[in-house]
């Protein structure tokens, strides 16, 4: 590592004004000169280009308007003029602002501010069937930690709903006495939580972050009498909020999110009808048939019990607006088209295996039906899998363990930052085309190139202690850029490492060819290099490429839990070429 404040040689930097001292040992200190945050040279040039006066030191409202239209890709209209004026007005309190217009530092402050965010504020068409959308989906939504021994609680359900999650999973089991229903991860050491408490929490927070419908998936391990209790409980708590299709037995397409605003939908495998029950009985083994033949129950009593069971089943069945279940006949019949739409669930491993030979069948199935993917059972630590495998095959409900951390969960959050963060993202048309069914692994030429310029970063000195990253010197930062998407588009690039800099300036450009930009996500991570040990984490975020705003943007970074830092951000530029 270099010491004593080695200069980057950039003319954009002022003379350093501060020093930082590091005590290496009892009698030796390392002294580093600290640079202040200042516009890189290219930002200076852009400012001068759109400034009015001869020496390029002041930018008027008209100059800012021209910058927004010509460089940032904003529309040439009155709304953009009003936006330029609003930006000016919002910076009047700064000492950098003078009556005649922006000076360079005020312009720079605007570029790094939250008003210059990287994503478009777009609204997707919400009038198509539910099957045409990706839904923000949780797995075992009630668990607070790992999948084997953590507590069950309403807290993670509330947290998920506040983040915009739209699909909540509850596992229903009989309690210890068998007379009531509780929510827990069966056959593990996880503690239970009352079903009523979970349903009340959902009712209270369902539409906290979004008005679009919430789907509750029940993993049902309860008897018909308990199903009847659940039916009464659900009806009593949700009332008119509960969606009941008027002709659910012949529903050939799902309703739209728009038509289901502020509605709760129940999805589970429905109880068998008498006809299905009879068919099931005929398929039982000869041993079971032999035992039934010698059953000595009173005939009338049996009739009464069957009638009560049917009443219980019908009451529970009427709750279910999205029917779940697998067709009979094994994996060969999984994607057979039926008149009635349904939900199918596959594990991540099942999906990967089936997709090797039947990718287009899966995509075609998801054009009308719902496909839910869930983590394999060995993910006891609440880790997650690559969600892109599900999305690129059209799976709407890619269920994630929200209790975990890691970059895969950040991918999930990145996808659902699209469409205003409402928890529903419209599938790209390529996944909905019934004539030319999408094959994720097929060869394609790039549709466009994403050009990314990484200018600089700032905020770490305000967010962390002087020795957080290194005991003996300022940090050594680099930026990792990664595209997640179809296999042909995935790519990783990294800037150079800027040694001993709290305000690193990279000025590096990268180009990512994209064959399916509609599905691509840009994951951004800052790494602090420790050349003698494990690297440190410096921030991250994930952005949907389809909604990136072109031009120079402020990228606010998050910690390892996905919570935004107050000060840490990058200055970057995006262009599609």
């Amino acid at each position: 590592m270099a010491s004593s404040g080695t200069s980057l040689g950039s003319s954009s930097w002022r003379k350093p004004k501060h020093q930082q001292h590091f005590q290496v040992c009892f009698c030796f200190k390392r002294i580093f000169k600290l640079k202040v945050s200042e516009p890189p040279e290219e930002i200076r040039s852009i400012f001068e280009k759109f400034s009015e006066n001869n020496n390029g030191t002041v930018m008027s409202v008209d100059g800012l308007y021209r910058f927004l239209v010509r460089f940032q890709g904003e529309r040439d209209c009155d709304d953009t003029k009003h936006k330029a004026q609003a930006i000016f007005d919002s910076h009047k309190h700064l000492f950098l602002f003078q009556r005649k217009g922006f000076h360079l530092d005020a312009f720079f402050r605007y570029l790094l501010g939250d008003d210059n965010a990287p994503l478009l504020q777009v609204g997707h068409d919400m009038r198509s069937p539910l099957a045409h959308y990706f839904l923000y989906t949780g797995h075992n939504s009630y668990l607070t930690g790992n999948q084997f021994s953590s507590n069950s609680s309403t807290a993670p359900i509330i947290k998920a709903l506040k983040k915009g999650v739209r699909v909540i999973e509850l596992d229903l089991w009989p309690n210890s006495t068998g007379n009531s229903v509780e929510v827990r991860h069966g056959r593990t050491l996880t503690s239970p939580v009352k079903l009523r408490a979970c349903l009340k929490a959902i009712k209270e927070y369902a539409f906290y972050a979004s008005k679009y419908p919430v789907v509750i998936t029940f993993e049902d391990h309860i008897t018909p009498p308990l199903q009847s209790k659940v039916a009464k409980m659900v009806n009593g708590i949700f009332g008119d909020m509960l969606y009941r299709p008027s002709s659910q037995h012949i529903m050939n397409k799902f309703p739209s999110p728009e038509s289901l605003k502020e509605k709760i939908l129940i999805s589970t495998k429905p109880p068998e009808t008498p006809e299905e029950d009879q068919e099931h009985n005929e398929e039982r083994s000869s041993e079971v048939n032999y035992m039934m033949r010698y059953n000595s129950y009173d005939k009338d009593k049996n009739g009464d019990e069957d009638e009560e069971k049917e009443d219980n089943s019908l009451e529970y069945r009427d709750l279910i607006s999205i029917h779940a279940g697998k067709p009979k006949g094994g994996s060969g019949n999984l994607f057979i088209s039926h008149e009635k739409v349904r939900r199918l669930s596959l594990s991540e491993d099942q999906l990967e295996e089936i997709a090797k030979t039947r990718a287009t069948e899966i995509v075609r199935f998801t054009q009308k039906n719902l496909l839910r993917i869930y983590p394999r059972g060995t993910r006891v630590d609440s880790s997650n899998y690559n969600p892109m495998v599900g999305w690129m095959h059209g799976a709407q409900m890619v269920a994630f363990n929200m209790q975990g951390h890691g970059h895969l969960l950040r991918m999930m959050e990145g996808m659902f930052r699209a469409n205003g963060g409402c928890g529903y993202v419209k599938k790209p048309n390529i996944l909905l085309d019934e004539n030319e069914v999408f094959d994720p692994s097929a060869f394609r030429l790039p549709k466009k190139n994403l050009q990314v310029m990484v200018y600089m970063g700032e905020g770490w000195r305000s967010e962390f202690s002087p020795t957080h990253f290194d005991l003996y010197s300022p940090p050594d930062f680099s930026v990792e850029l990664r595209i997640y998407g179809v296999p042909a588009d995935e790519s990783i690039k990294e800037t150079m490492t800027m040694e001993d800099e709290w305000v690193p300036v990279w000025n590096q450009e990268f180009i990512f060819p994209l064959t399916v930009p509609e599905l691509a996500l840009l994951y951004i991570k800052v790494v602090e290099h420790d050349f003698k040990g494990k690297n440190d984490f410096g921030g991250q975020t994930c952005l949907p490429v389809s909604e990136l705003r072109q031009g120079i943007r402020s990228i606010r970074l998050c910690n390892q839990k996905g919570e935004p830092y107050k000060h840490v951000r990058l200055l970057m530029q995006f262009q599609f070429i």
Side-chain angles (χ1 to χ4, degrees):
M1 295 184 184
S3 62
S4 67
T6 303
S7 171
L8 289 173
S10 171
S11 61
S12 67
W13 288 110
R14 295 191 185 114
K15 184 179 179 180
K17 297 180 179 180
H18 304 286
Q19 293 181 338
Q20 186 172 359
H21 297 245
F22 292 86
Q23 190 75 40
V24 179
C25 62
F26 179 73
C27 60
F28 178 66
K29 286 184 179 180
R30 301 183 76 192
I31 302 174
F32 294 84
K33 296 176 180 179
L34 300 180
K35 297 181 176 71
V36 296
S37 181
E38 200 173 277
E41 193 61 41
E42 186 170 339
I43 302 300
R44 284 179 179 272
S45 300
I46 293 168
F47 175 80
E48 292 170 0
K49 178 180 179 180
F50 291 97
S51 296
E52 264 64 24
N53 58 350
N54 293 332
N55 58 4
T57 59
V58 178
M59 180 186 287
S60 68
V61 174
D62 289 339
L64 180 60
Y65 171 72
R66 287 187 289 109
F67 166 74
L68 294 176
V69 173
R70 297 180 188 177
F71 199 90
Q72 300 288 81
E74 303 276 356
R75 290 185 303 147
D76 186 359
C77 62
D78 288 341
D79 286 345
T80 305
K81 290 180 180 179
H82 295 151
K83 180 177 181 178
Q85 186 63 57
I87 293 168
F88 252 55
D89 293 342
S90 67
H91 287 76
K92 283 184 177 179
H93 66 285
L94 297 176
F95 72 96
L96 301 172
F97 189 91
Q98 296 187 3
R99 289 183 179 180
K100 295 182 179 179
F102 268 152
H103 279 238
L104 175 61
D105 286 338
F107 177 68
F108 180 53
R109 187 78 62 87
Y110 156 67
L111 289 178
L112 274 171
D114 291 336
D115 291 340
N116 190 34
L119 295 182
L120 296 164
Q121 296 300 312
V122 297
H124 298 181
D125 183 355
M126 303 299 284
R127 297 169 295 179
S128 298
L130 281 179
H132 290 197
Y133 300 84
F134 298 126
L135 281 68
Y136 201 173
T137 302
H139 173 253
N140 290 351
S141 305
Y142 49 88
L143 288 180
T144 58
N146 69 63
Q147 303 288 307
F148 183 72
S149 60
S150 67
N151 293 327
S152 300
S153 169
T154 60
I157 296 173
I158 294 169
K159 183 179 179 181
L161 291 169
K162 284 186 171 182
K163 287 175 62 176
V165 172
R166 298 290 85 191
V167 183
I168 299 294
E169 182 188 29
L170 302 178
D171 287 79
L172 308 186
W173 292 84
N175 66 357
S176 59
T177 59
N179 63 355
S180 187
V181 179
E182 61 188 19
V183 174
R184 57 182 166 88
H185 195 195
R187 304 183 183 93
T188 68
L189 300 179
T190 57
S191 68
V193 61
K194 292 181 178 180
L195 173 61
R196 182 177 296 276
C198 293
L199 298 179
K200 285 186 174 180
I202 293 171
K203 179 181 180 180
E204 184 173 356
Y205 291 95
F207 307 112
Y208 178 94
S210 170
K211 298 298 182 185
Y212 290 106
V214 166
V215 179
I216 306 174
T217 60
F218 286 156
E219 289 298 315
D220 179 350
H221 307 276
I222 54 178
T223 61
L226 289 181
Q227 288 178 344
S228 179
K229 285 191 174 185
V230 170
K232 290 180 172 62
M233 190 184 302
V234 170
N235 278 312
I237 290 173
F238 293 120
D240 292 340
M241 293 172 66
L242 195 65
Y243 172 72
R244 296 178 179 83
S246 56
S247 55
Q248 64 179 20
H249 300 295
I250 56 170
M251 195 195 314
N252 57 14
K253 71 175 182 178
F254 290 110
S256 70
E258 186 66 31
S259 69
L260 294 171
K261 273 187 173 179
E262 298 189 328
K263 290 292 184 182
I264 303 290
L265 287 77
I266 303 297
S267 178
T268 189
K269 182 180 179 180
E272 291 183 332
T273 62
E275 293 80 7
E276 293 169 332
D277 214 7
Q278 180 180 356
E279 182 181 348
H280 180 68
N281 287 340
E282 291 172 355
E283 294 175 352
R284 290 177 180 175
S285 68
S286 58
E287 180 181 358
V288 173
N289 286 331
Y290 178 83
M291 292 175 65
M292 290 177 65
R293 195 177 304 123
Y294 287 91
N295 195 314
S296 59
Y297 285 142
D298 178 80
K299 184 177 179 181
D300 294 334
K301 181 178 179 181
N302 281 340
D304 292 341
E305 286 181 350
D306 289 343
E307 185 176 344
E308 182 181 356
K309 178 179 178 181
E310 184 175 341
D311 289 343
N312 290 336
S313 297
L314 287 174
E315 189 176 13
Y316 187 67
R317 177 184 285 268
D318 288 345
L319 292 177
I320 304 169
S321 51
I322 300 175
H323 286 206
K326 295 181 180 179
K328 297 176 181 178
S331 61
N333 294 330
L334 282 177
F335 308 115
I336 290 178
S337 180
H338 295 276
E339 183 181 2
K340 183 171 63 176
V341 291
R342 58 193 170 98
R343 172 174 70 83
L344 174 67
S345 289
L346 297 175
S347 72
E348 55 171 299
D349 293 333
Q350 288 175 318
L351 173 66
E352 289 188 6
E353 186 62 30
I354 294 171
K356 291 176 183 178
T357 56
R358 303 171 65 186
T360 55
E361 285 185 64
I362 301 172
V363 174
R364 186 179 293 280
F365 176 82
T366 61
Q367 290 174 345
K368 293 183 178 180
N369 301 279
L370 297 178
L371 177 59
R372 174 179 172 270
I373 309 300
Y374 58 90
R376 62 172 175 259
T378 55
R379 294 190 181 277
V380 179
D381 60 350
S382 291
S383 60
N384 285 299
Y385 52 100
N386 183 355
M388 192 58 69
V389 178
W391 291 329
M392 68 186 182
H393 288 91
Q396 298 88 347
M397 298 180 177
V398 178
F400 253 39
N401 292 315
M402 302 295 174
Q403 310 88 349
H405 302 307
H407 71 283
L408 294 172
L409 188 53
R410 305 290 85 80
M411 281 179 64
M412 176 68 70
E413 293 169 352
M415 168 64 84
F416 288 100
R417 292 180 69 177
N419 197 21
C422 73
Y424 284 78
V425 173
K426 186 76 159 60
K427 287 188 192 179
N429 290 333
I430 54 172
L431 288 172
L432 301 173
D433 188 339
E434 296 183 15
N435 297 317
E436 186 176 348
V437 180
F438 180 73
D439 183 350
S441 60
F443 173 77
R444 298 175 183 82
L445 293 173
K447 285 185 181 179
K448 60 178 68 174
N449 294 315
L450 172 62
Q451 179 178 290
V452 180
M453 179 70 158
V454 184
Y455 288 116
M456 61 170 292
E458 71 161 21
W460 289 280
R461 281 187 67 200
S462 301
E463 205 85 38
F464 300 99
S465 68
T467 57
H468 175 84
F469 295 106
D470 199 319
L471 291 175
Y472 306 119
S473 66
D476 311 305
F477 288 126
S478 71
V479 180
E480 178 187 301
L481 304 173
R482 182 167 184 169
I483 291 290
Y484 287 101
V486 297
D489 291 349
E490 297 208 339
S491 176
I492 303 176
K493 301 180 186 295
E494 189 171 3
T495 67
M496 68 182 79
T497 299
M498 301 306 300
E499 295 186 15
D500 304 327
E501 294 292 350
W502 283 104
V503 186
V505 176
W506 294 281
N507 284 328
Q508 284 187 265
E509 183 180 281
F510 304 93
I511 294 179
F512 297 94
L514 300 175
T515 63
V516 188
E518 303 95 324
L519 286 174
L521 298 172
L522 175 62
Y523 176 70
I524 304 167
K525 180 181 178 181
V526 174
V527 177
E528 198 281 325
H529 293 267
D530 187 339
F531 298 104
K532 294 181 181 180
K534 185 179 179 181
N535 293 339
D536 291 321
F537 174 86
Q540 64 183 343
T541 193
C542 190
L543 305 170
V545 169
S546 61
E547 297 198 5
L548 282 177
R549 299 169 71 194
Q550 297 196 68
I552 301 170
R553 302 298 170 187
S554 173
I555 313 300
R556 193 173 180 186
L557 300 184
C558 300
N559 62 22
Q560 289 176 299
K561 294 182 179 181
E563 301 161 341
Y565 288 126
K566 185 176 181 180
H567 304 286
V568 179
R569 60 194 65 215
L570 300 174
L571 190 65
M572 302 175 65
Q573 181 184 348
F574 305 110
Q575 297 292 337
F576 291 104
I577 56 176

